[in-house]
Amino acid sequence: MAGQNYSMVTEFILVGFSNFPRHLLPTFFLLYLLMYLFTLLGNLLIMATVWSERSLHTPMYLFLCALSISEILFTVAVTPRMLVDMLSTHRTITWAACASQMFFSFTFGFTHSFLLMIMGYDRYVGICHPLRYNVLMSNRSCAHLVSWTWAGGSVMGMMVTLIVFHLTFCGSNVIHHFVCHVLSLLKLACGNENSSVTLAVILVCVSALMGCLFLIVLSYVFIVAAILRIPSAEGRHKTFSTCVSHLTVVIVHYGFASIIYLKPKGPHSMDSNTLMATTYTVFTPFLSPIIFSLRNKELKNAIKKSFQRKFSPLSS
C-alpha cells in the first residue's frame, strides 16, 4: 500500500432499494412494515402466553420463548434501518454503526440457530429417553443450555465483526445491500488479505451453521427411528406432532438461507438479490410465530384460552 493515496472510509452508503422505481417504494415500505410489526406482536404473544399459562412452563416452551426473543432482537437490529432508508435520500451509515449492526445481527442470528439445535435435542430426549427427561432437561440444565446459546451467538458475532472490521476500508464506500452485509463489506476492503479473510469468515459461518444442522438432522434420525417402533398409528402421529412446528421452522430457516447463499452465480440483478435477501431477514422471522402458533396444538389452544379469558368478560 506504500506510495498509493487512499482516503479512509468513515461511513458507508447502503444502496438497498434505491434502484427500485420510486412509485414502488411506498408499497414495499408498507408490506415490510406490516411484516415487521406482525413479527414483533406474534413473538410477544407467544412469550406472554407461555408466561401466563402454567401448563406451558416446560423446557420446550422455555426454549421457544428464548427463540422468540432472539427473533425480536434480530428483526430490530435489521428491519427498522431498512424501512427508514427505503423512504430516505440520506442512506449513509457510520463505520461504528455498521460494525454494531453486523455484530448484533450475527449474534442474534447465530443464537437463533443454536436455539433451534437445542430444541431438536429437547425433542430427542423427550421421545427417545422419556424416563430420563426430567433429569436431563431440569430447570438448571435448561437455563445452562439457553445461556450457552446466547454466549455462543455473542462469540460468533464478535468473532465475525472483529475479523471484518480489523480490515482497512478505502476507495468506494457503497454497500450493495440494505444492511451491513459481511460479503458486500469485504469487497470494499483494501489490501492483499481480502481473499483469506473472506475464506475465514465463510468457514467460520458455514462450520457453525452446518454443525447445528447436522446435529438437528441427527436428532431427527433417532426420533424417527423411535417413532417407527411405536406399535399404534395414533401413537406415532401423536408423538410426531410434537415435532412438526420445530421441524417446519428448521426447514424454512435453512431453506431460505440456502436459496440466498447457495444460489449459482449468474446474471442476477441487484434488485432481485435485494428481494431475495429480504426472504431471510424479514420473511423468515415473520413466518416463525405463525408456524409455532398454528402447528403447535398445545400453544394454539393456550392462545385461544388466553383470548377467551380476556374478552369473554367484555362480551358478557
Side-chain angles (χ1 to χ4, degrees):
M1 291 175 61
Q4 299 183 40
N5 293 323
Y6 287 108
S7 57
M8 297 305 160
V9 172
T10 57
E11 63 180 19
F12 300 96
I13 298 172
L14 297 170
V15 172
F17 288 79
S18 61
N19 293 326
F20 282 70
R22 295 292 300 174
H23 68 276
L24 290 179
L25 293 183
T27 304
F28 281 122
F29 176 85
L30 182 60
L31 174 65
Y32 291 129
L33 176 63
L34 291 175
M35 292 172 72
Y36 170 65
L37 294 176
F38 188 90
T39 301
L40 298 182
L41 293 174
N43 282 297
L44 288 172
L45 176 62
I46 288 173
M47 292 164 59
T49 303
V50 172
W51 178 268
S52 62
E53 292 292 330
R54 292 191 62 84
S55 62
L56 300 182
H57 292 181
T58 63
M60 180 170 69
Y61 293 104
L62 167 68
F63 298 140
L64 180 56
C65 277
L67 192 76
S68 293
I69 293 171
S70 72
E71 285 192 335
I72 288 173
L73 294 175
F74 175 81
T75 306
V76 168
V78 173
T79 309
R81 174 81 206 198
M82 181 191 77
L83 292 172
V84 170
D85 286 347
M86 212 176 275
L87 299 182
S88 173
T89 56
H90 184 73
R91 298 185 178 90
T92 59
I93 184 170
T94 64
W95 187 95
C98 192
S100 298
Q101 187 188 60
M102 180 178 290
F103 167 73
F104 287 119
S105 61
F106 268 89
T107 294
F108 303 136
F110 275 110
T111 299
H112 187 274
S113 296
F114 295 152
L115 284 166
L116 287 176
M117 177 184 68
I118 295 301
M119 292 174 79
Y121 172 71
D122 172 73
R123 291 297 79 219
Y124 159 74
V125 175
I127 293 171
C128 299
H129 303 284
L131 298 179
R132 300 177 61 197
Y133 184 80
N134 289 333
V135 176
L136 294 174
M137 303 304 291
S138 64
N139 291 338
R140 186 176 180 181
S141 298
C142 292
H144 285 163
L145 287 171
V146 172
S147 299
W148 278 112
T149 60
W150 283 96
S154 300
V155 169
M156 292 298 298
M158 183 63 71
M159 189 186 307
V160 172
T161 305
L162 289 176
I163 290 173
V164 173
F165 280 90
H166 93 283
L167 297 171
T168 303
F169 296 96
C170 50
S172 176
N173 67 338
V174 178
I175 300 175
H176 291 281
H177 212 282
F178 53 83
V179 294
C180 289
H181 188 253
V182 58
L183 297 180
S184 301
L185 262 171
L186 287 171
K187 293 176 183 177
L188 306 181
C190 48
N192 299 321
E193 53 184 1
N194 286 17
S195 57
S196 59
V197 171
T198 302
L199 183 60
V201 169
I202 291 173
L203 283 175
V204 167
C205 295
V206 169
S207 298
L209 293 175
M210 289 298 103
C212 290
L213 181 60
F214 172 76
L215 292 174
I216 291 170
V217 171
L218 189 62
S219 296
Y220 275 100
V221 168
F222 288 113
I223 287 170
V224 170
I227 289 174
L228 292 176
R229 290 197 294 269
I230 298 174
S232 68
E234 184 182 354
R236 288 194 296 269
H237 179 268
K238 186 177 180 181
T239 303
F240 186 71
S241 66
T242 64
C243 305
V244 170
S245 57
H246 172 257
L247 188 59
T248 306
V249 169
V250 168
I251 292 170
V252 169
H253 178 75
Y254 281 94
F256 280 128
S258 301
I259 290 172
I260 295 168
Y261 294 108
L262 300 181
K263 69 179 186 295
K265 293 188 180 298
H268 302 287
S269 68
M270 289 293 178
D271 293 352
S272 65
N273 287 336
T274 299
L275 288 176
M276 287 180 70
T278 61
T279 60
Y280 185 76
T281 56
V282 182
F283 194 57
T284 301
F286 165 76
L287 284 179
S288 185
I290 296 175
I291 293 168
F292 278 114
S293 299
L294 296 180
R295 301 297 298 175
N296 188 306
K297 189 176 180 180
E298 195 174 8
L299 179 62
K300 182 167 66 174
N301 290 338
I303 292 173
K304 283 181 181 178
K305 195 190 303 181
S306 180
F307 271 98
Q308 285 171 357
R309 277 203 306 266
K310 283 182 172 59
F311 295 110
S312 57
L314 295 177
S315 60
S316 61

